[in-house]
Amino acid sequence: MQRLLIRQCLESEGMRILEAQDGHEALDLVANNNPDFVFMDVDMPGISGIETCRHLRARVESEDTPILIVTGADDQETIDLGFEAGATHYITKPLNWPLLGRLVKYMLRSADTYKELKSKEDHLRYLAYFDHLTDLPNRRSFTEQLRRNLVNSEKNEGQTGLIMIDIDHFKRINDSIGHERGDLVLKKIASRLQTCAAEIGPIASEYPGAKKTYPLDAFALEIARPGGDEFSVIVRNPYGEEQLNQIAEHLIDCLSEPIQIPGHTLVITPSIGIAMAPDHGRAPEELLVRADSAAYAAKAEGRQRARMYDSSIAYDSAQELSIEEGLRHSLLTTGLSLVYQPQVDLFTGAIIGAEALVRWEDEQGNAISPDRFIPVAERSGLINELGDWILNRVNADAKAYAGQLPSKMSLAINLSPLQFNQSNFVERLTSTLKQLEIQYKIALELTESAIMNSGDDSIGKLHQLRNLGFKLAIDDFGTGYSSLNYLRQFPLNTLKIDRTFVNDLGSESGNAIVNAIVSMAQALGLDLVAEGVETAEQATYLRERGCYSIQGYLISKPVPIDELARLCQHDFRATVGLDSEDG
Ligand code: C2E
Ligand code: CA
Ligand code: CA
């Protein structure tokens, strides 16, 4: 009778009612219908209302469903039990019919508000701890991850690896393709990192020795995006530095695969810094600073590489400023000079070209390697002035030695990617070279990544340069991302085989790489120059495989222009392993 009244009362408020005879049936009904509201008497046949309440609350789906219980008038004890079991509210018998409908409505409304609040809170938590572009944990979570891991590894006397990944030239990518597409690129990078980390897990746990020291599941990778174009990977319980290096290499490979976004195919490259606790620090801040400065060093060493922190790195960054100041000063005075390294034809033994290489002596008279100061010049923006200085110097040397070098000879100039990527680069180059009237061919040496990272207009620039009569060479070929499809698009003349590969000749893998490069060059119809050739055996091998010019200490170190002119008189056939009667 009472149920019928309740039904009528609530239906008149526009609610749909399901009725159960007892507690068991009530639980079934709830399970099948997920109602918005539960209303029950504590006195029920079978399991009690209190017990039913408890069961309901144990279900995830009815965790927040308002439950209204009906008790006897002065039954304090049951009311308390009801609340403990999870009831939301109670009313006592006899029921106040006019009030019941309103009470239920009020309870429903506050349940909605609660749900809304809760989802807002979830959202806030999400906003606070996740980066909404990539869905990766953000800087705040990253810091907490790192702190947690360091506490654990300290407790278990284990190690924690920190890998900081910085995307090379991301600002320029953003500037050239726009921020929206830049965001897309970041998203792709994030999902690639996740895939890659999933691949690394099983591989890394098979790392020899890993199981000896740690249980398998203790190894884990945690990825985050602490900021802009910066990503982090925390490696829980790495086996040691060597394993962290391997992981970093794997990450570089994954990330260097071309990225497709609508209208563009990009190749991005990462520079990676690694630090490991406790060896490089125990506090999160300390480890972070060290991994960051290792990433910085990786950039300085030419990008697209990983660098493990060591004590020399701290020293390097302290010196950076003094190098920059010294260099700036030398641009105005005389610390800079240019030397030339001859390139020889492996059939005629004649010098067919020379590469200009910059030299710098600081004010104390110390020779500083270009590998050292070029990156500083790039970071400080001095590279453009330095580049102009080099162009002018080549100009002056070529004019002064007009007629004294073989007329078909080419002079090669190294270009920093930063120079090439300037929007007015071609104008800047031609305005310097307009006054050149050089009788020799000028070859421009660029690295693969310089071309590939400079966006869609790089092909146009290269065509412009070709039309202006420049030769184009890819420097350090094989160390960057080499894809036939990419190279085919570029109007190139020459590939320069990196000296590390030449150095490896004689070993199976060294030979294989050089053979692969030779067939690639043949497929693309490009000339080859091998760098860093130091022995006649290397020269002979290269000639037999199909690489016909070389550069390296076997012929000569880089020398001043007057010395180069003298070397040009020389016949290098015997030097490169040919009988003088041959050829
Ligand atoms: P790179 O363009 O690959 O230059 C070749 C480097 O290999 C030169 O080092 C050269 O001295 C060295 N080398 C030549 N033959 C041999 C050999 O047989 N064995 C060995 N072990 N090394 C050899 P360098 O002059 O110290 O230049 C280092 C790098 O600095 C260059 O690498 C280039 O990336 C950069 N660089 C040098 N001059 C310039 C410049 O004028 N402009 C720009 N943008 N970069 C430059
Ligand atoms: Ca070069
Ligand atoms: Ca090179």
Side-chain angles (χ1 to χ4, degrees):
M1 183 61 198
Q2 203 172 44
R3 283 220 305 272
L4 186 65
L5 281 174
I6 292 169
R7 171 184 278 275
Q8 278 175 353
C9 172
L10 296 180
E11 273 177 346
S12 70
E13 297 280 354
M15 301 175 204
R16 200 166 70 84
I17 311 297
L18 299 168
E19 275 180 66
Q21 307 287 340
D22 56 34
H24 287 294
E25 201 183 327
L27 288 174
D28 283 349
L29 269 182
V30 170
N32 294 328
N33 296 282
N34 280 326
D36 298 317
F37 192 88
V38 176
F39 182 42
M40 66 188 165
D41 206 318
V42 271
D43 277 331
M44 287 195 292
I47 56 172
S48 74
I50 303 290
E51 199 56 26
T52 310
C53 212
R54 240 176 243 132
H55 283 295
L56 284 176
R57 283 294 182 241
R59 288 180 79 236
V60 182
E61 297 87 341
S62 32
E63 231 174 32
D64 303 325
T65 311
I67 302 176
L68 178 62
I69 53 172
V70 186
T71 64
D74 295 315
D75 195 352
Q76 285 291 347
E77 205 180 324
T78 312
I79 293 171
D80 287 347
L81 277 174
F83 277 124
E84 267 165 41
T88 317
H89 210 330
Y90 73 96
I91 47 175
T92 52
K93 291 176 200 169
L95 298 182
N96 178 340
W97 298 109
L99 259 183
L100 182 64
R102 249 172 271 164
L103 178 61
V104 172
K105 269 184 143 175
Y106 164 76
M107 284 176 68
L108 275 170
R109 201 179 315 142
S110 41
D112 279 350
T113 320
Y114 175 75
K115 262 187 222 143
E116 220 169 273
L117 266 179
K118 208 172 156 196
S119 84
K120 268 198 192 130
E121 192 199 341
D122 287 347
H123 188 60
L124 272 180
R125 195 189 309 276
Y126 174 82
L127 289 182
Y129 283 94
F130 288 84
D131 155 45
H132 55 161
L133 178 67
T134 61
D135 279 347
L136 287 177
N138 63 8
R139 174 165 286 276
R140 181 181 286 124
S141 342
F142 161 71
T143 323
E144 288 181 15
Q145 277 172 3
L146 186 59
R147 195 175 301 280
R148 206 170 42 234
N149 274 291
L150 290 177
V151 168
N152 281 339
S153 67
E154 175 115 54
K155 203 163 62 195
N156 307 324
E157 293 178 12
Q159 312 185 99
T160 296
L162 175 60
I163 299 180
M164 296 303 291
I165 304 170
D166 200 285
I167 305 303
D168 295 335
H169 306 305
F170 191 75
K171 193 181 166 309
R172 209 170 313 133
I173 298 177
N174 247 347
D175 290 347
S176 59
I177 63 173
H179 283 259
E180 259 169 54
R181 293 207 193 89
D183 282 354
L184 269 180
V185 173
L186 289 172
K187 274 177 131 162
K188 297 247 167 172
I189 293 173
S191 68
R192 230 181 242 184
L193 274 176
Q194 282 170 311
T195 323
C196 184
E199 284 166 14
I200 289 173
I203 301 172
S205 53
E206 279 163 22
Y207 187 80
K211 288 174 201 164
K212 278 184 224 151
T213 323
Y214 304 108
L216 237 160
D217 58 350
F219 178 87
L221 299 179
E222 292 174 51
I223 302 170
R225 180 186 173 215
D229 59 345
E230 195 186 28
F231 295 85
S232 60
V233 181
I234 295 173
V235 184
R236 202 184 294 165
N237 290 327
Y239 182 61
E241 290 191 3
E242 196 191 325
Q243 189 191 25
L244 290 173
N245 278 324
Q246 284 182 353
I247 292 174
E249 290 302 327
H250 192 71
L251 292 171
I252 291 177
D253 288 347
C254 290
L255 292 179
S256 309
E257 292 277 325
I259 288 183
Q260 312 274 357
I261 55 164
H264 294 264
T265 303
L266 301 168
V267 175
I268 61 109
T269 57
S271 292
I272 292 184
I274 315 170
M276 192 176 73
D279 297 14
H280 305 145
R282 290 167 188 276
E285 300 74 24
E286 193 180 12
L287 207 60
L288 188 56
V289 165
R290 302 209 147 162
D292 273 344
S293 44
Y296 199 63
K299 276 196 193 296
E301 284 164 13
R303 309 178 195 277
Q304 198 183 14
R305 65 193 67 206
R307 180 70 199 264
M308 175 72 63
Y309 176 81
D310 64 51
S311 51
S312 72
I313 286 176
Y315 173 74
D316 279 0
S317 43
Q319 280 211 323
E320 170 119 1
L321 210 64
S322 80
I323 290 184
E324 187 189 325
E325 278 165 9
L327 204 54
R328 203 180 288 278
H329 187 244
S330 287
L331 278 167
L332 303 170
T333 55
T334 51
L336 291 163
S337 61
L338 214 52
V339 286
Y340 296 84
Q341 187 174 39
Q343 300 169 336
V344 162
D345 182 299
L346 282 179
F347 285 108
T348 64
I351 290 181
I352 50 165
E355 175 180 2
L357 294 158
V358 67
R359 293 291 175 261
W360 180 42
E361 260 182 30
D362 68 10
E363 287 199 295
Q364 288 74 46
N366 306 309
I368 298 178
S369 156
D371 281 330
R372 206 59 208 291
F373 67 80
I374 297 275
V376 179
E378 288 179 332
R379 279 196 290 279
S380 61
L382 271 178
I383 190 67
N384 292 325
E385 282 158 271
L386 181 61
D388 288 348
W389 183 91
I390 292 165
L391 287 172
N392 280 311
R393 189 73 241 165
V394 172
N395 176 31
D397 285 346
K399 267 192 190 160
Y401 282 79
Q404 296 183 54
L405 303 170
S407 60
K408 290 227 173 86
M409 167 147 181
S410 66
L411 295 174
I413 301 175
N414 290 283
L415 291 180
S416 153
L418 290 182
Q419 280 174 281
F420 178 70
N421 285 331
Q422 296 169 96
S423 53
N424 64 348
F425 169 70
V426 177
E427 291 77 31
R428 199 160 174 160
L429 183 75
T430 45
S431 78
T432 318
L433 295 192
K434 226 180 236 145
Q435 321 142 24
L436 284 180
E437 300 150 23
I438 290 184
Q439 65 173 100
Y440 306 107
K441 272 249 181 229
I442 298 287
L444 301 174
E445 296 194 2
L446 284 156
T447 58
E448 290 161 82
S449 52
I451 298 181
M452 287 173 195
N453 284 335
S454 66
D456 283 350
D457 59 334
S458 66
I459 297 185
K461 265 190 201 167
L462 294 175
H463 278 289
Q464 266 179 291
L465 293 170
R466 276 296 292 269
N467 292 338
L468 289 164
F470 292 101
K471 288 171 76 177
L472 299 173
I474 299 285
D475 206 353
D476 306 339
F477 185 72
T479 59
Y481 183 81
S482 331
S483 142
L484 272 178
N485 283 338
Y486 275 85
L487 292 171
R488 223 190 284 280
Q489 299 172 25
F490 301 128
L492 305 171
N493 302 87
T494 311
L495 300 183
K496 297 192 75 179
I497 304 178
D498 191 62
R499 64 175 183 273
T500 55
F501 301 132
V502 173
N503 193 40
D504 281 352
L505 279 179
S507 77
E508 205 174 308
S509 63
N511 292 353
I513 291 175
V514 168
N515 296 348
I517 294 179
V518 169
S519 39
M520 217 183 219
Q522 282 168 349
L524 294 165
L526 300 177
D527 294 336
L528 279 171
V529 178
E531 298 183 307
V533 176
E534 295 182 357
T535 69
E537 289 74 45
Q538 291 168 342
T540 304
Y541 183 88
L542 288 161
R543 180 172 46 236
E544 283 168 359
R545 299 313 305 195
C547 168
Y548 304 132
S549 18
I550 60 161
Q551 178 182 343
Y553 296 165
L554 174 66
I555 307 298
S556 165
K557 296 202 164 195
V559 292
I561 186 83
D562 53 341
E563 176 86 29
L564 177 72
R566 234 171 296 137
L567 283 174
C568 285
Q569 309 302 317
H570 193 83
D571 178 348
F572 287 96
R573 271 181 293 179
T575 319
V576 300
L578 286 174
D579 289 336
S580 297
E581 295 84 55
D582 294 0

